[in-house]
């Protein structure tokens, strides 16, 4: 994370009311206090974008942003980050007005009020993030931040390399042009001439976009799974199961969230600076 003249770094010393950095990071499970102290001496920890090397550094866990080895660390123990392998037939809502199966089934045993980051349509299974961190949810879900999602689709028909190239060049849909960041053919099931399995990566958040893209190029989707969301991968998590993000995964998504928020704020300030100044009457 870097800062420029528009955003001078906040002091990494929260004063006598702050908490010692090594105590907070040890409590967060990053490493033992002794190891954290070594990290500080080696310059591997930053607070609000500033590398700290003083063992007596104190921080405010409610306002200061801490990173270790370039990855964000969550100091707020009330935040939860859950990966769900959503089954088909479940709508991405916490309370479906039509009475269909929804995400409340998976969140009912949590004391925190969790919500989903983005959506998957009912017919699509795969990786969905549940959290109570609104800032992170906004950054990961909003297409302007460019967080990519990777899907594996079984489609009708034998897809060709020419069609893959078309998806990457871009096609026109009713709501505007769209192109895949990446696309490739994974297999033709059992040499089938009637179906193909393809992988497609994009950062658009438009409704049912993968299904609409593939239908437009003549290969309607039979089955669709989201395998990756940004740096997160579904791996071997079974359908209908959940798990907490690992510390490494959480560090990656926190870093994306913080960098995205910083870039957005920097852009807003620069835009305001370029706006015409109204003269006093």
């Amino acid at each position: 994370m870097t800062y420029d003249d528009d955003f001078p770094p906040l002091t990494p010393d929260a004063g006598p009311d702050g908490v010692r950095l090594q105590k907070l990071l040890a409590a967060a499970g990053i490493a033992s206090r002794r190891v954290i102290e070594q990290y500080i001496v080696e310059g591997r920890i930053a607070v609000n974008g500033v590398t700290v090397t003083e063992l007596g550094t104190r921080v405010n866990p409610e306002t200061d942003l801490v990173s270790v080895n370039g990855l964000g660390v969550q100091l707020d123990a009330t935040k939860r980050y859950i990966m769900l392998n959503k089954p088909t037939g479940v709508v991405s809502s916490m309370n479906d007005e039509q009475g269909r199966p929804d995400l409340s089934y998976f969140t009912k045993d949590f004391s925190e009020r969790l919500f989903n980051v983005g959506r998957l349509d009912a017919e699509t299974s795969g990786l969905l993030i549940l959290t109570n961190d609104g800032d992170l949810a906004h950054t990961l879900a909003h297409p302007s931040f460019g967080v990519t999602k990777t899907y594996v689709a079984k489609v009708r028909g034998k897809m060709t390399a020419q069609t893959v190239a078309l998806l990457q060049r871009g096609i026109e849909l009713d709501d505007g042009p769209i192109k895949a960041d990446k696309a490739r053919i994974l297999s033709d099931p059992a040499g089938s001439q009637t179906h193909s399995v393809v992988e497609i990566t994009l950062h658009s958040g438009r409704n049912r976009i993968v299904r609409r893209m593939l239908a437009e190029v003549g290969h309607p989707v039979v089955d669709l799974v989201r395998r990756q969301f940004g740096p997160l991968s579904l791996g071997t998590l079974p359908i209908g199961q959940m798990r907490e993000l690992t510390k490494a995964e959480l560090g990656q998504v926190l870093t994306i969230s913080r960098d995205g928020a910083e870039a957005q704020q920097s852009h807003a300030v620069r835009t305001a600076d370029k706006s015409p100044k109204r003269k006093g009457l």
Side-chain angles (χ1 to χ4, degrees):
M1 184 178 294
T2 59
Y3 285 74
D4 56 25
D5 293 339
D6 291 329
F7 300 99
L10 301 175
T11 173
D13 190 339
D17 294 331
V19 182
R20 285 185 180 272
L21 185 56
Q22 56 264 49
K23 179 180 178 180
L24 277 175
L25 291 178
I30 302 303
S32 68
R33 290 198 192 189
R34 180 170 295 181
V35 172
I36 294 297
E37 288 173 354
Q38 186 62 34
Y39 284 179
I40 293 173
V41 171
E42 294 172 354
R44 297 166 64 178
I45 298 178
V47 180
N48 300 321
V50 178
T51 299
V52 297
T53 56
E54 298 292 331
L55 292 178
T57 299
R58 293 176 179 270
V59 296
N60 184 335
E62 295 183 1
T63 58
D64 288 327
L65 302 180
V66 177
S67 61
V68 177
N69 295 325
L71 293 178
V73 175
Q74 180 56 269
L75 299 178
D76 186 348
T78 67
K79 300 299 185 187
R80 299 296 297 269
Y81 305 89
I82 307 297
M83 180 188 295
L84 166 68
N85 187 347
K86 186 189 84 67
T88 56
V90 176
V91 297
S92 295
S93 170
M94 291 300 171
N95 184 17
D96 184 63
E97 295 180 353
Q98 300 179 36
R100 296 171 295 180
D102 58 37
L103 297 173
S104 64
Y105 173 82
F106 300 97
T107 62
K108 63 181 185 298
D109 294 329
F110 289 92
S111 58
E112 302 86 356
R113 182 176 178 273
L114 302 181
F115 49 87
N116 46 299
V117 179
R119 301 174 64 85
L120 287 175
D121 63 65
E123 296 81 19
T124 300
S125 64
L127 199 162
L128 196 63
I129 303 169
L130 306 174
T131 186
N132 58 349
D133 186 338
D135 292 336
L136 179 137
H138 171 70
T139 304
L140 292 185
H142 202 285
S144 66
F145 294 104
V147 179
T148 59
K149 281 84 73 176
T150 298
Y151 300 81
V152 173
K154 180 180 179 181
V155 300
R156 293 194 181 96
K158 188 174 179 64
M159 186 174 286
T160 65
Q162 290 78 9
T163 302
V164 169
L166 175 60
L167 288 169
Q168 293 179 113
R169 285 198 309 271
I171 57 177
E172 189 74 29
L173 299 178
D174 291 342
D175 54 353
I178 186 68
K179 65 179 180 178
D181 295 299
K182 297 178 184 178
R184 61 176 179 147
I185 300 170
L186 294 181
S187 68
D188 299 319
S192 172
Q193 296 295 311
T194 60
H195 292 89
S196 299
V197 177
V198 298
E199 181 182 87
I200 184 166
T201 299
L202 69 170
H203 60 270
S204 171
R206 285 150 64 177
N207 187 41
R208 300 174 67 87
I209 190 62
V210 175
R211 292 179 181 275
R212 292 193 289 133
M213 289 176 70
L214 291 170
E216 180 66 21
V217 297
H219 294 281
V221 168
V222 176
D223 184 60
L224 184 62
V225 182
R226 181 157 72 189
R227 296 292 310 176
Q228 291 182 270
F229 192 127
L232 305 179
S233 177
L234 197 59
T236 59
L237 184 66
I239 293 177
Q241 297 299 305
M242 300 178 288
R243 67 169 176 84
E244 299 266 4
L245 296 191
T246 67
K247 287 184 173 57
E249 290 171 333
L250 179 55
Q252 290 175 310
V253 294
L254 284 174
T255 300
I256 291 172
S257 175
R258 292 172 183 179
D259 288 350
E262 179 187 324
Q264 187 179 56
Q265 188 179 24
S266 179
H267 175 74
V269 169
R270 291 192 177 94
T271 301
D273 287 343
K274 293 178 182 178
S275 299
K277 302 295 191 293
R278 295 185 62 187
K279 295 182 179 181
L281 297 177

